Amino acid sequence: MRKILISLTLFLVIGTSCTKWLDVNKNIDAPDWVAPILRLAPTIAAYEGIAYDLRALAPMMQYFGGASTSTLAPFGNHSYYPGNDAGGEAWRMVYFLQGMNIEHIINDGRSREEFTLAGIALAIKAYSWHILASFHGDLPVKDAFVPGLLAHNYDNQEFAYAQVRSWARQAIAELDKQDKNVYPTLATNDLIYAGNVAKWKKFAYATLARNYIAMSMKDAKYLDSAIACADLSFASSADDASFRFDATGISANSNFFGVLRGNIAFVYSQSDYMVQLMTGTIPNYNASGAIEGLLDNQIITDTATLDPRTILMFGSRDTMPANQNDIKKGTFSYVGVRQTYGVNTSLWGGTASPTEATAGKGRWLFRDDARWPLTTYSEIQFIKAEALFRKGQKATAFEAFKKGVSGHIDWMKTLMVAPTVVKNTAGKQTSVIGDKITVARFTTLANEYMNSKFVNALPLNDFSLSHIMMQKYVSMYPWSLDTWNDLRRYHYDLVLGAGGVPVTGTSYTTDVVYHKLNTDATRIYKGFYLPPSDVINRRQKFAAWNYGAPCYRLRPRYNSEYMWNLGSLKKLTPIAGDADNYHTSIVWFAQPGN
């Protein structure tokens, strides 16, 4: 023992002559601080949480059908899964996965005068909180990252939205500054724009445009703000915001909707409404809810006009022609599935979950390495078109509308995968790896569609708000969560009460919901019917705890709020957060007036 003490004493004496002390509290293999640039990629990768929540929202928005045996099935029927985190991934993404990482990038970036990083982090924060506040309405904002709190009070959606705009403008201000330091790994760690500052500024303006249009029912002044921010945002589809997946053959870095991860597999497929919309076969319902032919005003296409986007969007069992020039209207047929029903055809075109042998890495957006969109030029043009139309500037709105459709086609082409035919031992085509159409053939057919009566040749007198919103609805299939903002702003096209919102008796009963007639000039989404509508192929009641009302917000993440923050939830009004029907409480932006 004495020898050990002498040795330690000698070490300490010698140590006093050194310039640095050995800090035994620092572990170089597990540092308690890392440079902000190294935090960036993980915070962007957290956006896969969007796809988690799409398994709940895509059926609710009637992008996907199916999920009859899934724990997420209740969402297609505007309900929720009690005691489960399903539908709470955005909560986890913002508060935990991005959470303090974003705060550190902002604070460290500013203190180190790495303003580009601070600006990027602020832009990410604004975008993420816009999603979170849009989903949930009320949520902790001021208390979000206050250390030591055992309970977190909720702020209302109006406050949260104001913070989104503040963070987006701060992002633009930081991105306007000159960095003091150089970080050569920015292009590698920035999974969205590879360090392009100009595009990040446009992205921040895109978030502002999204935010303003979401609030536009509150005050018409927000229409002007949406237009101004749209003009400062994306200039073309080259500015589209999407993040990459390396897809090295492991689940962790592959697209959530790809083949490898198997998250949608044979559980979800294209909805019946999406197929009707994209093939011009929306039914016309008579007074008793029976089908009498097809709706006269189909908006997107008709039975004589091919919209080639269907070939990319939907799975089909049809054989791909050997000659691409033979692809025309009727070459491929599509089967859509209703909410909570079994799937007929997968999104890869098969009768079972895709495998590497039958589908390779996948096709279009449903591919292991497909870039996942966050917002697009097309979406921004439709935001501008809506705002202009509602301001009475119809001709200018029409030009933005056409750019929106064209921009969507341009974006779709970036995801296309050349087709490879899979044959059996008899030489018969059994499946196609990739898309069943080449870029060249798709471009030809898309140009024909653009020049049809549904886009460029649409008479200005016939041009309506429905054309804008329904093409926007199509352009954000199935990836965008902001589609739900649009559906809620227009209250799912229900008959409204005197106060401008759905009310029991007028808009719904416990058994059925009442939609506006398709001939009603104020009806936006032609042929869109919620599950309990009194028409053929609907008539499926909401859960008893809905009391007849549709869903207007997702419940907070169960294991965070209902387990540990229930007291704060109970304080929410007009419907308490712990009430069975809290999810039917109409969010602030969907309520008329200020």
Side-chain angles (χ1 to χ4, degrees):
M1 178 64 72
R2 184 172 178 273
K3 289 181 180 180
I4 295 174
L5 290 173
I6 291 172
S7 298
L8 181 59
T9 303
L10 287 171
F11 172 79
L12 293 174
V13 170
I14 293 170
T16 59
S17 65
C18 299
T19 56
K20 292 185 179 179
W21 288 85
L22 174 64
D23 189 346
V24 297
N25 294 311
K26 296 289 185 181
N27 183 349
I28 61 172
D29 295 320
D32 59 1
W33 181 89
V34 295
I37 184 63
L38 300 179
R39 301 175 188 265
L40 184 59
T43 61
I44 293 174
Y47 277 135
E48 75 165 357
I50 292 172
Y52 274 97
D53 279 345
L54 272 172
R55 292 185 303 170
L57 281 179
M60 194 182 297
M61 297 184 294
Q62 295 195 29
Y63 279 157
F64 287 166
S68 59
T69 59
S70 169
T71 57
L72 293 165
F75 289 96
N77 205 31
H78 283 242
S79 184
Y80 60 95
Y81 197 84
N84 191 284
D85 282 349
E89 185 62 23
W91 200 275
R92 179 174 176 266
M93 176 185 79
V94 171
Y95 287 117
F96 177 66
L97 296 178
Q98 292 180 336
M100 287 304 298
N101 285 314
I102 287 286
E103 302 306 309
H104 286 312
I105 297 174
I106 295 168
N107 296 331
D108 290 346
R110 281 171 165 166
S111 66
R112 291 159 57 91
E113 296 183 281
E114 295 177 353
F115 302 115
T116 296
L117 278 179
I120 290 173
L122 281 159
I124 291 171
K125 183 177 182 179
Y127 178 91
S128 299
W129 280 82
H130 171 77
I131 288 176
L132 187 69
S134 296
F135 279 7
H136 298 283
D138 300 72
L139 65 162
V141 182
K142 297 172 189 172
D143 284 358
F145 302 116
V146 178
L149 292 181
L150 297 179
H152 298 77
N153 289 321
Y154 279 60
D155 300 289
N156 60 34
Q157 187 181 59
E158 180 179 10
F159 178 79
Y161 263 29
Q163 290 300 112
V164 167
R165 297 191 298 279
S166 173
W167 292 323
R169 297 199 180 279
Q170 288 179 54
I172 295 163
E174 296 295 336
L175 292 165
D176 278 335
K177 297 177 182 178
Q178 185 66 42
D179 282 324
K180 180 180 179 180
N181 298 320
V182 177
Y183 19 84
T185 58
L186 178 58
T188 303
N189 285 279
D190 178 359
L191 307 180
I192 298 175
Y193 285 132
N196 189 311
V197 172
K199 290 188 177 183
W200 272 110
K201 288 170 64 176
K202 292 177 181 179
F203 178 77
Y205 278 116
T207 298
L208 285 168
R210 279 177 146 205
N211 194 264
Y212 279 123
I213 202 66
M215 299 190 302
S216 61
M217 298 302 190
K218 308 295 293 184
D219 194 319
K221 68 183 180 183
Y222 295 133
L223 297 173
D224 290 321
S225 298
I227 294 167
C229 291
D231 286 339
L232 292 168
S233 184
F234 304 149
S236 72
S237 293
D239 293 329
D240 289 348
S242 62
F243 66 96
R244 73 172 191 264
F245 293 96
D246 293 331
T248 58
I250 60 174
S251 176
N253 64 6
S254 295
N255 183 347
F256 190 88
F257 277 7
V259 172
L260 179 62
R261 295 188 66 161
N263 288 310
I264 52 176
F266 207 62
V267 177
Y268 299 93
S269 188
Q270 58 257 11
S271 73
D272 59 340
Y273 178 65
M274 278 302 303
V275 170
Q276 293 166 0
L277 188 65
M278 296 301 298
T279 57
T281 56
I282 296 175
N284 178 52
Y285 297 103
N286 62 22
S288 64
I291 296 175
E292 289 187 353
L294 300 179
L295 193 67
D296 289 336
N297 190 3
Q298 290 287 330
I299 299 294
I300 300 298
T301 189
D302 58 20
T303 56
T305 307
L306 172 62
D307 185 337
R309 293 176 293 181
T310 56
I311 303 171
L312 303 183
M313 288 178 171
F314 304 149
S316 165
R317 298 187 200 173
D318 300 294
T319 300
M320 182 183 70
N323 186 341
Q324 284 280 310
N325 290 330
D326 291 336
I327 296 177
K328 56 187 183 295
K329 185 76 175 182
T331 299
F332 302 117
S333 59
Y334 310 97
V335 177
V337 60
R338 284 185 279 163
Q339 314 307 316
T340 71
Y341 278 70
V343 171
N344 175 281
T345 304
S346 78
L347 287 160
W348 293 267
T351 57
S353 297
T355 65
E356 185 176 357
T358 61
K361 288 188 175 182
R363 62 170 201 86
W364 195 57
L365 186 61
F366 312 109
R367 182 176 170 84
D368 294 340
D369 59 356
R371 293 186 67 95
W372 189 270
L374 297 176
T375 183
T376 64
Y377 167 76
S378 174
E379 177 187 1
I380 300 306
Q381 287 303 306
F382 286 127
I383 288 173
K384 181 178 178 180
E386 179 192 357
L388 287 166
F389 190 95
R390 287 170 53 194
K391 283 174 59 65
Q393 300 177 31
K394 192 173 181 179
T396 313
F398 189 39
E399 294 307 309
F401 161 81
K402 290 185 285 187
K403 290 178 181 177
V405 180
S406 177
H408 181 230
I409 289 170
D410 289 342
W411 169 74
M412 293 192 83
K413 287 194 288 188
T414 66
L415 295 172
M416 291 183 66
V417 182
T420 300
V421 175
V422 177
K423 298 180 180 180
N424 60 19
T425 54
K428 182 180 179 181
Q429 183 182 135
T430 56
S431 65
V432 175
I433 293 175
D435 296 302
K436 290 183 176 178
I437 187 170
T438 62
V439 172
R441 184 58 179 161
F442 178 83
T443 300
T444 298
L445 295 173
N447 288 338
E448 292 176 3
Y449 175 74
M450 283 296 300
N451 291 322
S452 74
K453 63 182 179 180
F454 295 99
V455 192
N456 292 340
L458 174 66
L460 183 60
N461 286 340
D462 295 339
F463 176 53
S464 68
L465 188 58
S466 284
H467 286 92
I468 297 169
M469 300 308 299
M470 292 183 74
Q471 283 283 4
K472 184 184 181 187
Y473 179 87
V474 167
S475 76
M476 298 197 294
Y477 167 89
W479 57 269
S480 182
L481 305 168
D482 260 39
T483 295
W484 197 33
N485 282 5
D486 295 338
L487 289 169
R488 289 177 293 167
R489 283 193 294 123
Y490 288 104
H491 297 290
Y492 302 103
D493 277 319
L494 295 176
V495 177
L496 303 181
V501 295
V503 294
T504 184
T506 300
S507 313
Y508 54 81
T509 68
T510 55
D511 295 326
V512 66
V513 297
Y514 303 111
H515 285 277
K516 298 174 183 176
L517 297 175
N518 279 302
T519 54
D520 189 325
T522 65
R523 201 198 211 286
I524 303 299
Y525 299 95
K526 310 296 186 185
F528 183 96
Y529 289 93
L530 294 178
S533 304
D534 191 18
V535 297
I536 293 295
N537 296 328
R538 292 297 183 260
R539 295 174 176 164
Q540 181 177 338
K541 294 181 183 180
F542 288 147
W545 52 41
N546 280 51
Y547 302 109
C551 181
Y552 271 89
R553 65 179 73 204
L554 293 182
R555 294 166 74 89
R557 186 167 182 261
Y558 178 78
N559 276 303
S560 165
E561 303 307 294
Y562 290 92
M563 293 292 288
W564 305 106
N565 203 30
L566 188 58
S568 298
L569 269 174
K570 289 182 175 182
K571 298 176 185 177
L572 297 180
T573 58
I575 301 177
D578 64 331
D580 285 344
N581 65 329
Y582 175 64
H583 60 297
T584 69
S585 182
I586 299 176
V587 291
W588 168 79
F589 71 67
Q591 299 174 20
N594 295 316

